[in-house]
């Protein structure tokens, strides 16, 4: 599903329009969907360079996608790492994301004797004033803050962002990157990558932004605990607009499923989500909250950012593939990424007439050769597997890519300069001819 918010007052600029990317969270499922959608945008929009946007904003799993693109990991390479598992740079291991938080369990268990002693002392003082609710609240302090260990995720990210000429430092990136987390004790959104918060390693900021309560423990940064950035807003597209983006491409991978619609069109879905138990019910609730906040944000964008265009990519509400998928299966990852790729291309194809003029304002256009190709697939569109690169050759390739981008950006300017020179040289001749 593609949601288009066209600017009420498009601003005509003499300089190149600024383009931003805002990627929401969604765990492993959301991350795979976002990779497929990003690859589709890369393929289908002419003039769009996903590694050379002006501002990148990410939350949770979307923070890794945004940070990777800002760090010049191409959408092709992201597919190789997470979908086809044939990257020449590093290997993704799904088990790194679901390692039990052993130290958190031990820390909580160590508090049992102290809690028992405190409880016995209170019972001795007030034997007839025992409240079950008070006891349950105190027992709650023994529950782990997260089931899984996010330190393993941070180590994976640190390795990814310090190899092959990339950087784990916000200040060293060529593009603006903002990763949003929430400070636990104040409830305030923290924009890592902005002044005052740009000294935090990118990998650590992503770890904090991904710390969904209950799944991963809060992350301590500069003496304060941080949790998932989605607790404040779903996409944080306003961060990109505040940075001056004239066009924001937003991806929100989690929407609630409509089982009635899904069953009506023949998609396999239970008659009621209650059959899936508590995890499925909680998933539906979380997705509903995320989408409702996204829908509430769009009118605010229209009022506050009248000169900015927004394209929001989401799954359809009958998308059973996005709701009932286990991405820890290799085959499921490939299928889901392909599904996201195809559904995004279909959205662009469906809204082609509306998108054409909107994209043209930003120097972009749709590639009909891609949209009109019924045989095109995500993995089929990838280049042949590159030869394994060393650190030195990776840096050389990055330098050559920079040179290509610089030449491409200067080419229109040189054409305008030559045209101006031709006009100026022809003016005296025409004047003298008129006088004669």
């Amino acid at each position: 599903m593609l949601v288009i918010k066209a600017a009420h007052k498009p601003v005509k600029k003499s300089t190149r329009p600024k383009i931003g990317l805002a990627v929401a969270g969604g765990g492993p499922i959301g991350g795979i969907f976002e990779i497929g959608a990003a690859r589709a945008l890369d393929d289908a929009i002419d003039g769009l360079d996903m590694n050379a946007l002006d501002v990148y904003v990410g939350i949770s799993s979307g923070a890794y996608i945004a940070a990777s693109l800002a760090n010049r990991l191409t959408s092709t390479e992201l597919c190789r790492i997470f979908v086809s598992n044939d990257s020449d740079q590093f290997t993704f291991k799904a088990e790194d994301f679901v390692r039990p938080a052993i130290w958190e369990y031990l820390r909580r268990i160590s508090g049992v004797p102290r809690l028992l002693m405190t409880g016995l002392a209170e019972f001795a003082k007030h034997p007839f004033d025992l409240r079950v609710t008070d006891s349950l609240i105190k027992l709650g302090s023994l529950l782990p803050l997260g089931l899984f260990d996010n330190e393993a995720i941070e180590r994976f990210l640190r390795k990814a962002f310090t190899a092959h000429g990339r950087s784990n430092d916000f200040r060293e990136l060529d593009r603006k990157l903002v990763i949003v987390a929430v400070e636990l004790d104040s409830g305030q959104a923290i924009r890592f990558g902005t002044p005052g918060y740009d000294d935090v390693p990118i990998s650590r900021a992503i770890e904090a932004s991904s710390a969904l309560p209950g799944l991963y423990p809060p992350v301590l940064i500069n003496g304060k605990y941080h949790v998932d950035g989605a607790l404040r807003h779903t996409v944080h597209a306003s961060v990109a607009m505040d940075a001056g983006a004239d066009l924001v491409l937003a991806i929100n991978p989690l929407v609630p499923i409509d089982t009635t619609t899904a069953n009506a069109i023949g998609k396999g879905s239970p008659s009621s989500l209650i059959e899936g138990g508590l995890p499925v019910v909680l998933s539906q609730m979380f997705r509903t909250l995320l989408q409702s906040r996204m829908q509430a944000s769009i009118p605010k964008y229209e009022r506050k950012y009248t000169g900015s265009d927004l394209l929001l990519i989401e799954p359809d509400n009958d998308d059973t593939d996005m709701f009932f998928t286990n991405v820890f299966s290799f085959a499921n990852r490939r299928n889901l990424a392909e599904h996201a790729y195809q559904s995004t291309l279909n959205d662009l194809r469906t809204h082609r007439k509306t998108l054409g003029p909107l994209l043209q304002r930003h120097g972009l256009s749709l590639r009909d050769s891609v949209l009109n190709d019924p045989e095109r697939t995500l993995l089929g569109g990838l280049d042949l597997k590159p030869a394994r690169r060393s650190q030195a050759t990776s840096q050389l390739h990055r330098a050559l890519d920079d040179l290509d981008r610089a030449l491409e950006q200067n080419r229109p300017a040189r054409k305008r300069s030559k045209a101006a020179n031709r006009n100026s040289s022809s003016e005296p001749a025409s004047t003298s001819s008129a006088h004669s």
Side-chain angles (χ1 to χ4, degrees):
M1 178 173 60
L2 181 64
V3 179
I4 302 173
K5 183 203 80 68
H8 292 312
K9 300 176 182 178
V11 179
K12 293 184 178 181
K13 292 188 174 183
S14 57
T15 57
R16 180 182 63 85
K18 290 185 176 181
I19 301 175
L21 175 70
V23 195
I29 292 177
I32 296 298
F33 179 91
E34 289 158 352
I35 290 172
R39 182 62 190 163
L41 293 174
D42 221 351
D43 279 353
I45 300 181
D46 190 27
L48 181 68
D49 186 343
M50 296 295 284
N51 296 115
L53 305 181
D54 296 278
V55 55
Y56 297 82
V57 182
I59 310 167
S60 193
S61 60
Y64 175 72
I65 306 301
S68 296
L69 293 170
N71 232 317
R72 292 191 287 189
L73 267 168
T74 65
S75 61
T76 299
E77 189 61 29
L78 287 175
C79 289
R80 294 194 184 284
I81 295 168
F82 293 100
V83 181
S84 61
N85 272 15
D86 63 349
S87 171
D88 67 311
Q89 299 189 26
F90 54 92
T91 303
F92 164 69
K93 297 180 180 179
E95 58 268 22
D96 286 342
F97 290 74
V98 288
R99 290 183 178 179
I102 300 298
W103 289 111
E104 174 65 13
Y105 299 163
L106 293 176
R107 189 169 73 88
R108 293 294 163 175
I109 291 174
S110 67
V112 172
R114 176 183 54 81
L115 185 63
L116 287 175
M117 294 299 295
T118 302
L120 289 173
E122 290 183 358
F123 178 74
K125 292 180 181 178
H126 310 285
F128 303 106
D129 193 26
L130 181 65
R131 294 185 179 88
V132 175
T133 53
D134 290 343
S135 300
L136 291 175
I137 291 174
K138 291 175 181 177
L139 286 174
S141 66
L142 296 177
L143 296 176
L145 296 176
L147 296 176
F148 304 117
D149 177 18
N150 41 10
E151 289 293 335
I153 297 176
E154 194 278 333
R155 288 192 296 271
F156 171 82
L157 297 174
R158 191 189 330 139
K159 180 180 179 181
F161 293 144
T162 54
H164 299 277
R166 292 182 287 271
S167 175
N168 199 29
D169 190 327
F170 286 99
R171 298 163 295 187
E172 294 179 357
L173 297 181
D174 297 330
R175 309 291 169 178
K176 184 177 183 63
L177 169 66
V178 180
I179 294 172
V180 184
V182 171
E183 188 181 292
L184 179 63
D185 293 312
S186 68
Q188 297 301 309
I190 303 299
R191 299 179 177 184
F192 291 108
T194 60
Y197 297 98
D198 55 1
D199 59 334
V200 176
I202 296 173
S203 58
R204 193 70 170 169
I206 297 175
E207 181 190 8
S209 182
S210 306
L212 182 64
L215 291 182
Y216 296 104
V219 177
L220 184 64
I221 298 176
N222 295 333
K224 296 182 179 180
Y225 287 97
H226 298 80
V227 293
D228 198 306
L231 298 184
R232 287 287 297 183
H233 295 288
T234 301
V235 176
H236 288 275
S238 59
V239 176
M241 295 176 183
D242 286 336
D246 304 293
L247 169 65
V248 177
L249 306 172
I251 307 175
N252 173 36
L254 297 188
V255 299
I257 186 75
D258 183 345
T259 58
T260 301
T261 302
N263 285 318
I265 60 178
K267 293 186 177 181
S269 176
S271 58
S272 174
L273 294 180
I274 202 74
E275 297 174 15
L278 180 60
V280 171
V281 172
L282 289 177
S283 176
Q284 178 77 337
M285 182 188 72
F286 185 63
R287 291 164 181 256
T288 302
L289 289 173
L290 290 178
Q291 192 188 44
S292 64
R293 288 194 314 189
M294 186 69 249
Q295 292 172 340
S297 295
I298 291 178
K300 296 178 182 178
Y301 295 152
E302 292 176 336
R303 292 193 300 268
K304 185 175 181 180
Y305 305 99
T306 57
S308 297
D309 293 314
L310 172 69
L311 301 184
L312 171 64
I313 298 170
E314 293 182 318
D316 293 325
N317 64 356
D318 57 9
D319 195 335
T320 54
D321 291 321
M322 272 300 294
F323 197 91
F324 302 105
T325 297
N326 172 21
V327 294
F328 291 103
S329 160
F330 175 68
N332 286 348
R333 286 209 307 272
R334 294 175 67 118
N335 292 338
L336 182 58
E338 185 67 51
H339 171 70
Y341 180 81
Q342 296 297 341
S343 63
T344 302
L345 289 184
N346 185 59
D347 284 338
L348 297 176
R349 194 180 297 117
T350 302
H351 295 86
R352 194 185 322 220
K353 291 184 179 180
T354 303
L355 285 174
L358 186 150
L359 292 175
Q360 190 174 15
R361 289 204 294 265
H362 307 284
L364 307 174
S365 61
L366 292 172
R367 289 191 177 103
D368 289 333
S369 60
V370 173
L371 297 182
N372 295 337
D373 183 1
E375 304 298 326
R376 191 173 189 88
T377 63
L378 171 67
L379 297 181
L382 300 182
D383 298 329
L384 294 176
K385 182 179 178 180
R388 184 168 293 277
R389 297 177 183 175
S390 65
Q391 292 277 6
T393 55
S394 292
Q395 291 178 352
L396 175 60
H397 277 273
R398 287 166 67 93
L400 292 173
D401 288 342
D402 286 342
L403 179 60
D404 285 341
R405 289 191 180 100
L407 291 174
E408 187 64 29
Q409 290 176 359
N410 290 332
R411 190 170 291 121
R414 291 201 302 273
K415 288 182 179 179
R416 287 194 299 269
S417 177
K418 288 180 181 179
N421 290 336
R422 285 197 300 270
N423 291 336
S424 61
S425 62
S426 63
E427 285 176 1
S430 61
T431 302
S432 60
S433 175
H435 280 295
S436 63

